[in-house]
């Protein structure tokens, strides 16, 4: 691979010392070779950051790529109604073609706004298409086929037999884990305790531990959901039930955790369960405000994700960072979640949650060159006295000038390199109309 010098940058390293340095970053063979002083060259290519912030690409730890085409079809409903009336019918109606269009649309939006890595839960069927699309777009992704074997309220196409759900998840792992030069990995993705049998959850816990594979699920997002789990499980709270079935391990990535008790937080901390905070989704669905500052004070890993476009409508990490800080200011006090800590959650903490902290999440020699440049010339970021404040409170996804993964530029000069954004959007509009018609929602 050619060497690339990114020069004239304000480098927000996100290393353990939170160093911010002026200078250059040298990329060789897809990895960061030098930081600050890149030496005298020669270099195959030079990228001028034009004084912008150079920082590690964002790591979103809870996304549903398959739901991007649902944007605008599932507004203004609480969680369980939203699922049964909109999301499940549309997921069931997906074809391979519409799923491909949805994943491509999501990747375009994510890359243009600085996200380089995602943990995504897809629908029950056709997950190979999502792996293929992420391979083509150049993103880094941990992808799980949604697992659902115990809910009579779901459409027939989403109802699985337990053994078939497990077998297909294992087959996807065999086909795709480590693919695309290590950019792609497979996860187990039991949707949530409401739609999964105890047999399935216990099997996933055993398999994940044996294979050291991430388990991606939802937990304690909504008060009604918490009560449903308590009834189904014979009195357990949500996290207690996940612990009882063997899932509460460092491999568990639990999205939301809005309604977690102090006892459950102790369990999360003790077992090093990773919490995936989705403030935009939680607010729009009316689910509540997660006790993020409390969980972090207990040493719980809390990272960030936008969730899906069906419940957030945007996949922009800048929105999530700003909301995360602002909501804790409302819930606790201003400064309860400082801007610097939020940027850590969007980078280093996300990498840690995915077991990739030795590879991505900071700008340090030896790590993979998943990097973004955020422009500093726009009026809305001036006067830009503090990088943490600027990036979390003032900057926007549209300020991302450059995005690269493994040293390969995927966005340059605010435009996609390997995709035509207008074509991606046009394909998505056509696919969305087809999908809505199949789901009976046109």
């Amino acid at each position: 691979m050619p060497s690339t010098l990114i020069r004239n940058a304000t480098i927000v390293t996100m290393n353990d010392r939170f160093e911010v340095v002026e200078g250059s970053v040298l990329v060789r063979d897809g990895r960061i070779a030098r930081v600050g002083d890149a030496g005298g060259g020669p270099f195959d290519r030079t990228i001028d950051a034009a004084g912008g912030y150079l920082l590690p690409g964002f790591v979103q730890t809870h996304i549903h790529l398959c739901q991007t085409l649902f944007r605008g079809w599932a507004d203004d409903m609480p969680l369980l109604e939203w699922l049964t009336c909109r999301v499940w019918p549309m997921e069931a109606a997906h074809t391979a073609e519409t799923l491909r269009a949805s994943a491509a649309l999501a990747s375009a939006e994510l890359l243009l706004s600085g996200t380089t890595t995602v943990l995504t839960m897809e629908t029950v069927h056709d997950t190979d298409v999502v792996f293929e699309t992420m391979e083509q777009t150049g993103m880094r992704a941990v992808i799980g086929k949604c697992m659902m074997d115990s809910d009579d309220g779901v459409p027939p196409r989403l109802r699985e037999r337990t053994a078939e759900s497990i077998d297909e998840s294992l087959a996807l792992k065999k086909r795709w884990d480590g693919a695309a030069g290590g950019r792609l990995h497979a996860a187990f993705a039991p949707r949530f305790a409401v739609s999964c049998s105890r047999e399935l959850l216990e099997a996933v816990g055993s398999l994940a531990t044996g294979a050291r594979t991430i388990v991606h699920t939802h937990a304690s997002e909504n008060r009604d959901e918490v009560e449903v789990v308590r009834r189904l499980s014979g009195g357990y709270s949500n996290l207690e039930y996940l612990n009882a079935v063997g899932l509460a391990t460092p491999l568990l990535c639990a999205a939301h955790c809005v309604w977690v008790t102090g006892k459950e937080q102790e369990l999360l901390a003790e077992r090093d369960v990773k919490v995936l905070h989705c403030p935009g989704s939680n607010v729009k669905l009316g689910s509540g405000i997660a006790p993020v500052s409390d969980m972090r004070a207990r040493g719980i890993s809390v990272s960030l994700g936008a969730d899906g476009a069906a419940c957030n409508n945007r996949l922009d990490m800048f929105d999530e960072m700003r909301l995360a800080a602002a909501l804790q200011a409302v819930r606790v006090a201003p400064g309860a979640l400082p801007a610097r800590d939020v940027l850590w959650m969007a980078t280093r903490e996300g990498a840690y949650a995915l077991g990739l902290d030795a590879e991505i999440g900071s700008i340090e020699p030896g790590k993979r060159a998943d990097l973004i440049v955020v422009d500093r010339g726009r009026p809305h970021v001036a006067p830009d006295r503090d990088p943490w404040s600027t990036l979390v409170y003032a900057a926007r996804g549209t300020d991302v000038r450059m995005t690269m993964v493994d040293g390969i530029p995927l966005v340059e000069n605010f435009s996609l390199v390997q995709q035509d954004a207008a074509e991606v959007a046009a394909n998505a509009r056509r696919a969305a109309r087809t999908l809505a018609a199949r789901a009976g929602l046109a």
Side-chain angles (χ1 to χ4, degrees):
M1 294 178 63
S3 61
T4 300
L5 177 71
I6 306 172
R7 66 179 186 87
N8 191 22
T10 299
I11 307 164
V12 183
T13 65
M14 300 311 299
N15 64 16
D16 290 344
R17 297 178 300 281
F18 290 97
E19 289 179 312
V20 179
V21 298
E22 303 291 332
S24 303
V25 167
L26 176 61
V27 175
R28 280 205 180 101
D29 297 323
R31 293 186 180 269
I32 299 164
R34 298 183 67 172
V35 178
D37 177 10
F43 315 110
D44 297 309
R45 185 175 186 206
T46 299
I47 295 174
D48 186 359
Y53 289 118
L54 178 63
L55 59 152
F58 297 130
V59 182
Q60 293 213 36
T61 53
H62 186 59
I63 289 282
H64 297 271
L65 301 175
C66 67
Q67 293 179 11
T68 318
L69 293 191
F70 308 173
R71 186 172 6 227
W73 262 279
D75 295 333
D76 305 326
M77 287 181 279
L79 176 67
L80 297 182
E81 178 186 353
W82 172 85
L83 279 171
T84 56
C85 296
R86 291 289 188 271
V87 170
W88 286 344
M90 294 190 83
E91 283 194 17
H94 256 311
T95 65
E97 291 74 21
T98 60
L99 193 53
R100 193 181 306 277
S102 191
L105 181 65
S107 70
E109 181 180 357
L110 290 161
L111 290 169
L112 284 166
S113 55
T115 292
T116 53
T117 300
V118 293
L119 171 62
T120 179
M121 180 186 293
E122 294 310 299
T123 191
V124 165
H125 53 85
D126 294 315
T127 308
D128 282 297
V129 168
V130 178
F131 278 103
E132 291 165 5
T133 306
M134 291 299 99
E135 182 177 35
Q136 292 160 5
T137 63
M139 287 195 72
R140 193 177 306 284
V142 182
I143 302 168
K145 183 200 89 66
C146 184
M147 306 173 80
M148 300 172 67
D149 73 333
S150 182
D151 194 324
D152 293 334
V154 304
R157 198 170 183 220
L158 299 186
R159 291 187 200 140
E160 299 184 286
R161 293 178 178 167
T162 306
E164 291 173 353
S165 183
I166 293 167
D167 289 347
E168 178 58 18
S169 294
L170 290 171
L172 285 164
K173 179 175 172 60
K174 184 175 182 179
R175 287 195 292 271
W176 287 103
D177 200 52
R183 275 195 295 111
L184 302 180
H185 289 282
F188 293 112
R191 189 159 211 140
F192 63 162
V194 173
S195 60
C196 296
S197 68
R198 181 165 187 144
E199 180 186 359
L200 176 64
L201 295 174
E202 289 178 341
V204 168
S206 177
L207 290 167
T209 300
R212 301 298 300 166
T213 300
I214 283 174
V215 178
H216 184 193
T217 194
H218 301 84
S220 300
E221 179 178 359
N222 171 282
R223 279 191 273 202
D224 291 340
E225 167 221 342
V226 170
E227 289 309 309
V228 171
V229 173
R230 196 176 295 278
R231 289 199 305 271
L232 290 174
S233 66
Y236 285 113
S237 69
N238 213 319
L239 272 301
E240 289 171 342
Y241 182 52
L242 294 179
N243 183 50
V245 298
L247 283 175
T249 76
L251 295 168
L252 181 62
C253 291
H256 305 300
C257 293
V258 175
W259 299 102
V260 284
T261 65
K263 184 178 179 181
E264 286 178 301
Q265 290 182 45
E266 290 176 8
L267 175 63
L268 290 168
E270 177 187 338
R271 300 301 175 89
D272 192 22
V273 173
K274 313 305 188 294
V275 172
L276 322 177
H277 179 43
C278 305
S281 167
N282 295 158
V283 170
K284 186 165 180 284
L285 285 171
S287 296
I289 303 174
V292 172
S293 58
D294 299 2
M295 290 191 283
R296 295 185 80 251
R298 293 175 184 267
I300 298 167
S301 169
V302 185
S303 53
L304 289 171
D307 207 339
C311 58
N312 185 321
N313 299 65
R314 297 178 180 176
L315 304 180
D316 187 338
M317 185 65 106
F318 288 93
D319 287 346
E320 301 310 303
M321 289 194 296
R322 180 183 170 89
L323 264 177
L327 288 174
Q328 294 308 301
V330 171
R331 183 184 160 272
V332 183
L337 187 59
R340 192 179 76 166
D341 291 3
V342 176
L343 195 60
W344 181 274
M345 291 165 63
T347 53
R348 287 290 295 275
E349 204 67 61
Y352 173 69
L354 303 187
L356 296 174
D357 46 314
E359 293 284 287
I360 60 172
S362 61
I363 301 178
E364 299 179 87
K367 288 199 171 183
R368 293 188 179 273
D370 291 9
L371 305 170
I372 66 174
V373 173
V374 179
D375 188 77
R376 297 171 67 187
R378 312 289 179 88
H380 61 265
V381 303
D384 189 18
R385 65 170 295 275
D386 176 80
W388 317 109
S389 174
T390 297
L391 288 164
V392 171
Y393 293 122
R396 304 168 182 166
T398 51
D399 296 328
V400 175
R401 174 189 293 272
M402 188 277 294
T403 302
M404 68 166 46
V405 176
D406 275 345
I408 299 172
L410 302 176
V411 172
E412 288 190 278
N413 296 319
F414 309 99
S415 298
L416 292 167
V417 175
Q418 299 184 11
Q419 304 174 75
D420 182 314
E423 182 179 348
V424 169
N427 287 341
R429 288 189 179 97
R430 287 192 293 269
R433 288 193 294 269
T434 299
L435 177 60
R438 283 173 52 85
L441 301 173

